[in-house]
Amino acid sequence: MRAISLAVALFALFSGLYNYLNARLEQFYIFDHAHLHDLSQRAIAAHGNDTRAVVNYIVAELDEKTPGTYINHEEEWVFNNAGGAMGAMYIIHASITEYLIIFGTAIGTEGHTGRHTADDYFNILQGTQLAYVPGAYEPEVYPQGSVHHLRRGEVKQYKMDASCFALEYARGWIPPMLFFGYADTFSSTLDFPTLWATSRITGREMISNLLKGKF
């Protein structure tokens, strides 16, 4: 009986804390999705299909205009398998409430978006992304320069037919999203060196930003 009472009390405490913080998420954000979309479009206008130059342009401006030292300058690319899709990512920023990455592949991929605890903004830097929801008879088409907004709690099928890279920005609760990012390792790829590299970089950035007061 005592154990049940303790569990109920802890659940009530956790629920109250979650509701309190969830109502105040906006105050933790340091990035703005409208600015990131504008930045992506300006980078494309300046460098076209030179995606490396586009990425460098984006990171340079973020480093200049983002308060504090929240940008990861180490371009540490790692594979990412999630929802059946495979690509690679460079983590620019990771914290409890936001992440900003370059994600893509030079040969195409397809999979499940996942159903997440954060809004996800996919700014297409090169190529085209397709998306599909049940009941639709035509795909959603997101060409270079556009943004695909996957709302918190929604889910879609997505596809990159060929080379496609994007600036992906998520805002909300980021830690629960890691389970989706890790699942394919245990159910399919068994690529534990990549899992370790992803965990090391993500953990380093999250802890570093938390120590700076960035949730």
Side-chain angles (χ1 to χ4, degrees), residues 1-205:
M1 194 65 179
R2 182 177 298 175
I4 294 175
S5 298
L6 179 60
V8 170
L10 289 174
F11 178 77
L13 179 64
F14 176 80
S15 297
L17 180 62
Y18 171 81
N19 290 330
Y20 175 82
L21 293 174
N22 197 54
R24 291 160 177 78
L25 273 176
E26 288 287 339
Q27 72 186 52
F28 301 125
Y29 300 145
I30 60 173
F31 300 104
D32 176 70
H33 60 85
H35 168 249
L36 293 173
H37 186 206
D38 175 68
L39 173 56
S40 298
Q41 290 181 320
R42 286 187 284 109
I44 293 167
H47 298 287
N49 287 321
D50 184 349
T51 310
R52 185 179 299 278
V54 168
V55 171
N56 290 339
Y57 182 106
I58 289 170
V59 173
E61 179 166 317
L62 289 173
D63 186 47
E64 179 185 345
K65 296 191 175 181
T66 302
T69 53
Y70 301 119
I71 302 300
N72 175 27
H73 299 96
E74 298 295 327
E75 196 170 330
E76 304 160 293
W77 285 91
V78 292
F79 274 127
N80 178 258
N81 288 82
M86 183 174 184
M89 65 178 177
Y90 156 34
I91 299 174
I92 299 172
H93 173 87
S95 60
I96 302 299
T97 58
E98 293 175 291
Y99 78 66
L100 187 63
I101 68 174
I102 302 295
F103 173 81
T105 172
I107 60 174
T109 192
E110 179 180 3
H112 190 293
T113 61
R115 195 183 299 274
H116 299 301
T117 51
D119 280 276
D120 189 273
Y121 298 86
F122 214 75
N123 296 274
I124 308 298
L125 304 178
Q126 179 201 317
T128 300
Q129 185 192 59
L130 304 177
Y132 170 75
V133 294
Y137 288 96
E138 297 293 335
E140 298 173 12
V141 181
Y142 298 97
Q144 184 183 45
S146 65
V147 59
H148 177 193
H149 179 197
L150 181 69
R151 290 174 175 79
R152 182 175 177 176
E154 291 185 354
V155 64
K156 296 180 184 180
Q157 176 188 8
Y158 77 96
K159 183 178 183 180
M160 301 166 171
D161 274 328
S163 181
C164 184
F165 288 86
L167 176 68
E168 182 181 357
Y169 171 53
R171 52 161 46 191
W173 295 111
I174 304 305
M177 300 177 71
L178 298 178
F179 295 107
F180 175 73
Y182 288 163
D184 278 18
T185 298
F186 296 100
S187 64
S188 176
T189 69
L190 303 180
D191 182 6
F192 295 108
T194 291
L195 178 69
W196 164 246
T198 302
S199 301
R200 176 179 58 80
I201 298 167
T202 304
R204 181 194 70 204
E205 294 304 308

